[in-house]
Amino acid sequence: MSEQLLQIKDLSVSVEEREILHKINLNIGRGETHVLMGPNGAGKSTLGYAVMGNPDYEITGGEILFDGRDLAEESVDKRAQAGIFLSFQNPLEVPGISLGNFIRSALEQRTGKKIRLWDFKKEMRRAMEILQMDESYAQRDLNVGFSGGEKKKAEILQLLMLNPSLAILDETDSGLDVDAVRTVSRGVEEFQKDKKGALLIITHSTRILESLHVDYTHVLVDGRIAATGDQRLVEDINANGFERFLKQEKETV
């Protein structure tokens, strides 16, 4: 068994006084890839936001430990510096700062070290080649005027450059065509190669998973984990959908 990196214990989370997650338990080891699937509205994104520390998501019970450290009082920026990365379903546009400068600044904050511009550009060029991104995107304002697919590629570019200890990818394949999904998946596969960074892929689709190795699959229904399995559970969901898990949850509640 891998050394535990993220430990979620009996976690309950509320948004605007409505409980969304109910006593979630989830452990992610170093280098592991976990998939969190479920129908729309199940609470998948809520879990990602809670781990990242979004203040709109109130933890009403349980705890989140990252590398043995209780995250309860940690701000979003401290969690990012500790090595947690969260991609967004709808990445924000940030006028006035280029994609390249944003990533370089984030990387220096992450490592606590100044990075030589030449070395940074060399590594970024390599990552952009993997994602089939034109180098000119590095000079453009962050996500401004980017298509949906370009925004998602920019997110995966950040993933490859920052090389976090834990990456949470929230609906990264949402709204992408088949070719864009393959390109993004190639970037995620590249991240998996060194076996050091852990992944939590949040999705209700299976397209992005087709070429990826998956260690554990979890099904979230109505804020509760209804099932856990391996990659075969992804194949089951792809063939049969979530219907049996929805019925199972109604019978147990």
Side-chain angles (χ1 to χ4, degrees), residues 45 48-49 52 84-88 155 166-170 202:
S45 295
Y49 287 129
M52 199 69 230
I84 303 176
F85 173 92
L86 173 66
S87 72
F88 296 97
E155 293 272 284
L166 170 67
I168 304 170
L169 306 183
D170 187 8
I202 299 171

Side-chain angles (χ1 to χ4, degrees), residues 20-243:
I20 306 297
L21 298 180
H22 317 291
K23 294 189 175 181
I24 298 293
N25 288 283
L26 178 66
N27 293 324
I28 298 179
R30 296 182 187 279
E32 292 179 349
T33 295
H34 290 240
V35 173
L36 184 65
M37 304 189 72
N40 288 332
K44 302 186 299 298
S45 295
T46 295
L47 182 60
Y49 287 129
V51 172
M52 199 69 230
N54 187 317
D56 292 336
Y57 295 77
E58 181 187 1
I59 295 176
T60 55
E63 60 183 353
I64 303 171
L65 301 178
F66 180 70
D67 206 10
R69 170 177 167 185
D70 189 345
L71 295 182
E73 302 301 324
E74 299 285 359
S75 61
V76 173
D77 61 315
K78 294 297 183 184
R79 297 183 197 210
Q81 288 176 357
I84 303 176
F85 173 92
L86 173 66
S87 72
F88 296 97
Q89 291 187 42
N90 300 299
L92 296 174
E93 296 184 3
V94 185
I97 181 169
S98 70
L99 173 60
N101 285 340
F102 175 80
I103 294 176
R104 187 182 180 197
S105 176
L107 192 54
E108 288 180 341
Q109 289 291 321
R110 166 101 166 86
T111 62
K113 300 176 182 177
K114 284 289 185 183
I115 299 171
R116 291 175 54 193
L117 183 59
W118 172 260
D119 294 336
F120 173 77
K121 286 185 173 180
K122 180 180 178 182
E123 186 61 26
M124 189 160 176
R125 190 178 302 116
R126 186 190 74 84
M128 294 182 92
E129 286 176 359
I130 293 169
L131 296 170
Q132 299 177 344
M133 293 181 72
D134 191 283
E135 291 180 31
S136 64
Y137 279 90
Q139 307 306 318
R140 292 176 58 179
D141 285 1
L142 179 61
N143 292 326
V144 175
F146 286 23
S147 68
E150 289 165 346
K151 288 180 179 180
K152 297 300 178 72
K153 285 183 181 181
E155 293 272 284
I156 301 303
L157 178 64
Q158 294 168 48
L159 168 69
L160 293 178
M161 292 297 294
L162 294 173
N163 195 26
S165 300
L166 170 67
I168 304 170
L169 306 183
D170 187 8
E171 304 283 4
T172 301
D173 53 347
S174 176
L176 301 185
D177 62 28
V178 173
D179 290 336
V181 169
R182 285 179 183 146
T183 301
V184 167
S185 182
R186 191 180 307 122
V188 177
E189 191 175 11
E190 181 71 18
F191 176 76
Q192 285 185 319
K193 282 183 179 179
D194 65 9
K195 304 294 185 184
K196 294 179 182 178
L199 275 165
L200 176 60
I201 301 174
I202 299 171
T203 184
H204 63 267
S205 171
T206 60
R207 294 188 305 166
I208 195 173
L209 307 175
E210 290 176 1
S211 63
L212 300 178
H213 169 75
V214 173
D215 295 296
Y216 297 96
T217 304
H218 313 277
V219 179
L220 192 69
V221 176
D222 292 333
R224 296 178 174 84
I225 292 182
T228 293
D230 54 20
Q231 188 145 3
R232 288 171 294 183
L233 185 53
V234 174
E235 297 164 2
D236 180 0
I237 293 167
N238 198 33
N240 303 305
F242 298 110
E243 188 62 30

